[in-house]
Amino acid sequence: MFPPEDLLEDLINLYFLYLPSYMTLLHEPTFRRDVASGLHHLDTSFGAVVLMVCAVASRGSSDPRVFLEAEPDAVQSAGWKWYSQTMTPPRSFFENPSIYDVQFCVLAAQYLLGTSAPQSAWTMIGLAARYAIELGLHRHRPGPPTLESELKKRVFWSIFMMDRHCSLYQGRPFMIRDEDFDVKYPFECDDEYWDTGNPATDFKQPPGEPSKMHAFVQYLNLCHIISFMMRTLYGIRKSQEAAGLKGSWIENTVAVLDSMLNSWYNDLPTRLRWDPQAQPGKWFLHSAKLYMIYYDLQIHVHRPFVHSPSPLALPSLAICTNAARSCIRLVEILLATSPVLSLIPNVGMAIFSAGTIIITNMWHTVRTRPGEPPLQRDGQDLCRCMNVLQQGAKQ
């Protein structure tokens, strides 16, 4: 059962207004055209995709119809009525999957990240990865861009991004390793220029108008850094140890990761640089998302050494603390200017990581400087963390 027509339109508008800043999975004109033609009433797999779009977008909606009728005040139930209809797979496992089946799995994983069982998202994104490999989405296909080929790229890279974040935050292995695919990044062309009605101008981004896809590509570059970090610092059998390297390989690895993050940061174009004084505009959410993940990765790179007897301990604590403070202030600004904090799944985990670092810094101050109270700004930052988490818990 789909939402009423007016609510369905509102939820689709909400999805495409905010979600592409986090994950570019769908092609908006094609999706809207298929919905307008009633394909969701005819194709079960596409219907499941539409239901999941509604479920995900519901978390940013204030319309009371997105909540369960039996619990109209339970805002945590937003979208559940549509997600629950898809809990039975829309296809038999003996059938070949379609691109819709893969999109459904990615959207379901995104929705599950905002529930009380976020670990289920890792399982769902694993299913999406298996479907994608079965369809050959992980392989490079030479030739000019087409609607089908670019949509497949978007789907694969959305899986890659979700896989990296689910594994990072849940401490579980990747479903797809970097050496197992060779598909190229999505073509940097906005949705409206894919099909212009003139083959000569299809997939031609107008000069002087940067594509929003560039922000997604920058996000994927950060995900490759996550891959290297997880294999080296967090792997059960760390790749350097398995290779028999001795000596200060930990310090060298941290230096390499710092260099990779610095390189990424320095290569960002001006439009994607975070400006806390800027008014929300075309690049505001893209910039906020990228910087939030950047600060969170700085914390993940240095956090293992904060409590260790390593010479990296004090520098790592300082780097983590600065990154945590920057992340908290960024998300606080985002919360004040955007109503869609609950639509971006990794906000909660980034703020939680930042909060644990602030507490660690307070503990370090008490332990190393007896009689001296923790910095007042640490207490203020911790209150900011709690405020963001409380706001997110409502949805």
Side-chain angles (χ1 to χ4, degrees), residues 41-329:
H41 295 294
L42 304 174
D43 188 312
T44 306
S45 292
F46 181 68
V49 172
V50 174
L51 286 172
M52 286 314 310
V53 166
C54 294
V56 169
S58 291
R59 292 212 172 104
S61 174
S62 58
D63 193 309
R65 292 175 292 176
V66 304
F67 309 126
L68 292 175
E69 285 80 359
E71 302 178 68
D73 298 325
V75 293
Q76 291 90 350
S77 71
W80 183 260
K81 63 174 71 175
W82 297 301
Y83 170 76
S84 61
Q85 297 180 55
T86 68
M87 294 176 74
T88 300
R91 53 172 285 279
S92 165
F93 289 111
F94 292 103
E95 299 173 9
N96 291 327
S98 69
I99 196 74
Y100 297 138
D101 295 317
V102 191
Q103 290 172 331
F104 160 73
C105 290
V106 177
L107 289 166
Q110 185 174 357
Y111 183 80
L112 288 167
L113 283 173
T115 68
S116 57
Q119 68 277 7
S120 304
W122 182 78
T123 304
M124 187 59 73
I125 209 65
L127 181 58
R130 297 295 186 263
Y131 281 167
I133 292 171
E134 186 174 351
L135 289 171
L137 306 190
H138 63 304
R139 296 309 309 271
H140 170 59
R141 298 286 185 267
T146 64
L147 192 151
E148 181 182 7
S149 67
E150 288 304 309
L151 187 57
K152 287 179 177 180
K153 285 183 185 179
R154 285 189 175 190
V155 171
F156 176 83
W157 286 109
S158 295
I159 294 170
F160 174 81
M161 181 268 292
M162 289 282 288
D163 181 35
R164 291 314 182 252
H165 280 287
C166 286
S167 297
L168 173 66
Y169 293 130
Q170 297 180 23
R172 298 180 177 182
F174 299 139
M175 292 293 100
I176 303 178
R177 300 178 304 171
D178 287 43
E179 56 267 33
D180 290 336
F181 61 85
D182 61 357
V183 63
K184 305 300 182 185
Y185 277 162
F187 198 73
E188 292 191 21
C189 181
D190 291 337
D191 287 7
E192 57 267 32
Y193 304 118
W194 281 25
D195 183 4
T196 62
N198 179 3
T201 58
D202 287 351
F203 288 97
K204 300 268 177 67
Q205 186 76 15
E209 183 181 337
S211 171
K212 294 189 288 272
M213 282 301 298
H214 185 67
F216 186 57
V217 168
Q218 292 295 335
Y219 197 173
L220 296 177
N221 288 335
L222 281 176
C223 288
H224 282 296
I225 299 177
I226 293 175
S227 298
F228 181 72
M229 177 186 70
M230 292 290 284
R231 289 198 312 269
T232 53
L233 295 184
Y234 288 93
I236 295 175
R237 293 180 59 187
K238 297 176 177 61
S239 56
Q240 286 83 353
E241 290 180 330
L245 298 180
K246 305 290 184 181
S248 58
W249 70 264
I250 292 181
E251 289 84 353
N252 292 337
T253 300
V254 171
V256 169
L257 284 163
D258 281 339
S259 177
M260 293 169 73
L261 285 170
N262 290 336
S263 241
W264 177 89
Y265 181 89
N266 293 331
D267 289 343
L268 270 184
T270 304
R271 63 182 175 276
L272 290 177
R273 293 194 174 275
W274 173 248
D275 180 3
Q277 307 301 324
Q279 294 298 314
K282 177 180 179 180
W283 302 105
F284 181 79
L285 281 176
H286 293 283
S287 175
K289 172 200 68 178
L290 290 172
Y291 271 68
M292 181 184 69
I293 300 302
Y294 168 75
Y295 294 136
D296 194 33
L297 282 187
Q298 282 189 310
I299 291 172
H300 275 85
V301 167
H302 289 275
R303 189 176 61 188
F305 311 103
V306 167
H307 295 292
S308 72
S310 162
L312 293 173
L314 287 178
S316 289
L317 179 60
I319 291 171
C320 285
T321 303
N322 288 333
R325 288 172 179 156
S326 298
C327 184
I328 292 166
R329 288 175 187 135

